[in-house]
Amino acid sequence: MASDSQILFDQLQQHVVQVQADPSIKLDERLFGSYEWYAQENLNDVWEVLLPQLLALLASLQQDPQPVTKLITNLVEPFSFGATLALAPPATLLEALQSPSASVMLLALTVLKKAESSASDTAILAGMKDLVASLIRMWLTTPEVGVAETAAQLLRRMLEVDLPKTPADSPEMDVEMGGVPDTPGFTGSGQGLMWRRIFDDRDIYGLFFTLTISETEGKTQRTLAQARLLGLLPSLARLDWNAVTRSRHADIETRCGLTADNTGLLEYAAIHMVDFKDDILMHMSLIGFFTELLTIHLKLARHLQAVESSKSAMNRQDSPGLDYLISKGLHQRTVAYYLDPTAPHVDPSDQSFIAPRSATYLATYCTTFPNHLLSAPSLNDSDNTRSRGLLDDIKSHISMTLSANGAFRTHIPKHDLHLLASLPRSSLLRDLEPRTERDLLDWWSRSPLSAMPVNVSNEDLLNTLATIFKGPNPRPSYDDTQSSLAPVARAYASTWMIRDYSRYEEIASARALCLLYLHHRPQFVKSLVGFAETAALKDGALAAINVMHAIVGATWAELPAEPPLPASSAPSTDTSTSSPNPQPNQPLHPDQPPPLHITEPQLRHILSHHPLTSFTHPPITPPTNRYSPPLPLTTLLSPPCLSTLIPYLCSPPQTFTNLVGGTGDAESAAYKIARLKYETLRLLHRKLGERMAYGTKDDVVKEVAELVAQAKRRGAWGDVGAGERGVASRIATLEL
């Protein structure tokens, strides 16, 4: 008796023959779908009989070929690229790439995708000039977005596999600088044949130019090709910067506006390809392209023993992307779109679209190159006096935007807040020299934080404050010789064992900014609790609890007891023998930015003059490798947090028992708020437990620890009555 797979095989083969004989017969989608379950059985019959018939049917089919292409995709899955080429030769694949059907083009890409599995298969494909040319042409011109994205991924992956080697100065995304890990296959094991095919073959290289400036295809088709080229180029630049910046065929490049001094595909795409004055969408894409270029870094040492040797290069922020943008004036132009609303080449009606993209570019620049930002001159500093820097321009613009409509508005541009959160925290303190009370007031009036109101439940504003106050993410870097310490002790020992002074400034500045904000906004904690209790404004309530969570789990350190010595006071700039844990009062490296002027004693003096921020601080001690009490607890166990925030976290959640009917949305909001509130409570309990583990004589700490422990034992829904427990249980059940 024939098996089910054999029966379906015979039925499908018969159906294919019928459709070939009579194209008017509709494809039996159910039959094709049923056979997919047995696609990996009877491989010999599939390979010798069914696949050739399906490919022949595909060439003559006059209806939607998706059932056929889907089945072929499953059938060829177990076969290698070389074996598939024997069945579907280059001529067949070339015809498929030129098909108007998206499913047929995706089938061809599925076959070509097999070539990315090894450098040898990629080299075989590189020898098929017409196929590579058709692939690039299809990628740049097809109106099918999914097909174009698949083709771009295929090109990127094949060039990664075919990279001949990883040069010592090859740029790549650096993990420590906020990038992503190297993509799989970035091993440099190829022969470079695909690189030479694409960049050295004048016919294929010319496609990047002719298809992106063609007037015959229309503006829509031209901008489509331009956007796709801008999307792929940063990935290629990360793999081989020289490949996209070196002239390949001067005659082709010259016809497109490039000169002997301005050569390469990158130059063409960045400066000559896009008519950004008349195309707002392409102008936005171009700024996004510049943002991607910023993330390209030269390789930097990643091991701890190489940190000191690479610090000088890191502080100079060697980056081919940034260097290129500055040298061509593109960096200054893009920054001006945000800082100067009357920037040239931008129509006033387009400013609202360009400014957010420019702010995103600036945020990436500030995050990736903080030291370069701190030394960058103002755009208006024509005489190079350096009396004002780019950082001052950015902070002034943000302050002006946040203060534009008074303190009671609820709409604040997100891109301004995103840029503020991207600024180095130390930059918000760098111009504070609190010699007198007037100095403090002047600094506060200039600070963007002064323009952030406390009486507005705006989730973006609150999340920005949470980012600033929390500090940088923890980076454990304790000495291996301290491995005998308990895990808790090692975690806090890492607070002081900072290898990078700039990171230390970020940690210390996060704490100082939080305390100074509470000093000038003493009602903030009370307002924060009020926002958290307003479940009707769910997003604002969640953002308020997020601020609490950020403070509880913050990475903080004290400011230096004394300002760092100037670089000229350093006895030597040789870092090979220096301590891996620089002290705050050690001499600065010559490449470090200017130090903070405010010290820990000055900060405590400021806070001591306000009744609501008279925190009880431990004595100032120099950084050590020993356990130090977590500084956020000092803030949480002092007014105003002690009398407001702690009781809120320990209180039962809202359950809306007074509502009758139609409570689905309210209960959903209550559930989400209660869960985040409980997670914050658990974090506080863990922090207090770590403090109690090392002993304390402070009765306040003991009482709060017991109160928090009781609230934690009650769970997310607390100790509520029977009626309320029913509502709470129903909320939890609905959200599962």
Side-chain angles (χ1 to χ4, degrees), residues 359-376:
T360 301
Y361 173 91
L362 261 176
T364 303
Y365 165 69
C366 295
T367 303
T368 313
F369 306 105
N371 290 352
H372 190 281
L373 166 70
L374 295 175
S375 59

Side-chain angles (χ1 to χ4, degrees), residues 272-289:
H272 301 279
M273 181 178 72
V274 177
D275 183 12
F276 61 89
K277 298 179 183 179
D278 298 326
D279 193 331
I280 181 63
L281 293 179
M282 283 310 302
H283 196 179
M284 296 166 64
S285 298
L286 188 63
I287 295 176
F289 170 68

Side-chain angles (χ1 to χ4, degrees), residues 108 134 189 219 310 373 388 416 459 476 493 496 542 555 614 616:
S134 181
S189 60
K219 181 179 179 180
S310 66
L373 166 70
R388 184 179 177 87
D416 293 295
E459 60 270 19
W496 293 116
L542 292 174
T555 303
S614 55
T616 303

Side-chain angles (χ1 to χ4, degrees), residues 207-460:
L207 291 175
F208 295 124
F209 295 84
T210 57
L211 295 178
T212 54
I213 62 172
S214 175
E215 298 291 344
T216 59
E217 300 294 337
K219 181 179 179 180
T220 301
Q221 183 61 58
R222 182 173 66 253
T223 55
L224 200 64
Q226 291 174 354
R228 289 170 182 172
L229 181 58
L230 292 177
L232 182 63
L233 267 181
S235 298
L236 304 188
R238 288 189 182 96
L239 296 173
D240 190 343
W241 179 262
N242 292 329
V244 298
T245 55
R246 181 165 59 89
S247 176
R248 299 290 179 166
H249 302 280
D251 56 331
I252 297 177
E253 296 168 349
T254 302
R255 289 199 300 268
C256 297
L258 277 70
T259 64
D261 296 330
N262 301 323
T263 57
L265 188 59
L266 183 66
E267 183 87 9
Y268 165 71
I271 299 178
H272 301 279
M273 181 178 72
V274 177
D275 183 12
F276 61 89
K277 298 179 183 179
D278 298 326
D279 193 331
I280 181 63
L281 293 179
M282 283 310 302
H283 196 179
M284 296 166 64
S285 298
L286 188 63
I287 295 176
F289 170 68
F290 296 157
T291 305
E292 287 294 317
L293 290 184
L294 281 178
T295 62
I296 301 176
H297 295 272
L298 291 178
K299 277 187 176 177
L300 298 177
R302 295 179 181 173
H303 301 290
L304 294 179
Q305 64 269 23
V307 169
E308 293 299 328
S309 62
S310 66
K311 186 177 295 184
S312 178
M314 189 181 299
N315 287 329
R316 288 195 302 269
Q317 303 294 356
D318 292 334
S319 165
L322 178 62
D323 291 344
Y324 176 82
L325 293 170
I326 292 177
S327 65
K328 303 299 180 181
L330 302 174
H331 174 73
Q332 297 86 332
R333 187 183 79 189
T334 306
V335 170
Y337 292 147
Y338 174 77
L339 296 178
D340 183 9
T342 62
H345 311 310
V346 177
D347 189 281
S349 61
D350 297 336
Q351 183 66 25
S352 60
F353 299 98
I354 296 298
R357 294 300 181 101
S358 177
T360 301
Y361 173 91
L362 261 176
T364 303
Y365 165 69
C366 295
T367 303
T368 313
F369 306 105
N371 290 352
H372 190 281
L373 166 70
L374 295 175
S375 59
S378 170
L379 295 181
N380 300 321
D381 190 7
S382 57
D383 56 357
N384 201 30
T385 59
R386 297 297 180 94
S387 59
R388 184 179 177 87
L390 178 61
L391 176 62
D392 300 312
D393 294 342
I394 295 174
K395 292 193 294 185
S396 297
H397 187 86
I398 295 176
S399 298
M400 179 183 65
T401 303
L402 297 181
S403 305
N405 299 316
F408 292 92
R409 67 202 179 284
T410 57
H411 174 71
I412 301 176
K414 291 184 179 181
H415 57 270
D416 293 295
L417 294 173
H418 175 56
L419 177 55
L420 176 59
S422 302
L423 292 176
R425 295 167 183 83
S426 59
S427 68
L428 300 176
L429 279 178
R430 203 164 294 278
D431 56 347
L432 174 57
E433 300 183 52
R435 292 185 295 267
T436 65
E437 187 69 20
R438 171 55 59 184
D439 294 332
L440 177 63
L441 294 176
D442 289 343
W443 168 82
W444 178 251
S445 65
R446 298 191 306 269
S447 174
L449 295 179
S450 66
M452 303 182 76
V454 299
N455 53 353
V456 175
S457 179
N458 181 285
E459 60 270 19
D460 298 314

Side-chain angles (χ1 to χ4, degrees), residues 39 54-55 72 136 174 283 397 422 484 489 509 573 606 613 710:
L54 291 175
L55 291 173
I72 295 177
I136 293 178
D174 186 80
H283 196 179
H397 187 86
S422 302
S484 60
S509 297
T573 58
I606 293 172
T613 55
Q710 292 177 2

Side-chain angles (χ1 to χ4, degrees), residues 454-497:
V454 299
N455 53 353
V456 175
S457 179
N458 181 285
E459 60 270 19
D460 298 314
L461 185 147
L462 293 173
N463 287 327
T464 299
L465 289 175
T467 301
I468 295 173
F469 295 162
K470 184 177 181 179
N473 293 327
R475 184 194 301 171
S477 56
Y478 55 87
D479 194 341
D480 291 338
T481 60
Q482 301 295 325
S483 58
S484 60
L485 293 174
V488 173
R490 292 203 305 271
Y492 284 105
S494 66
T495 302
W496 293 116
M497 301 186 65

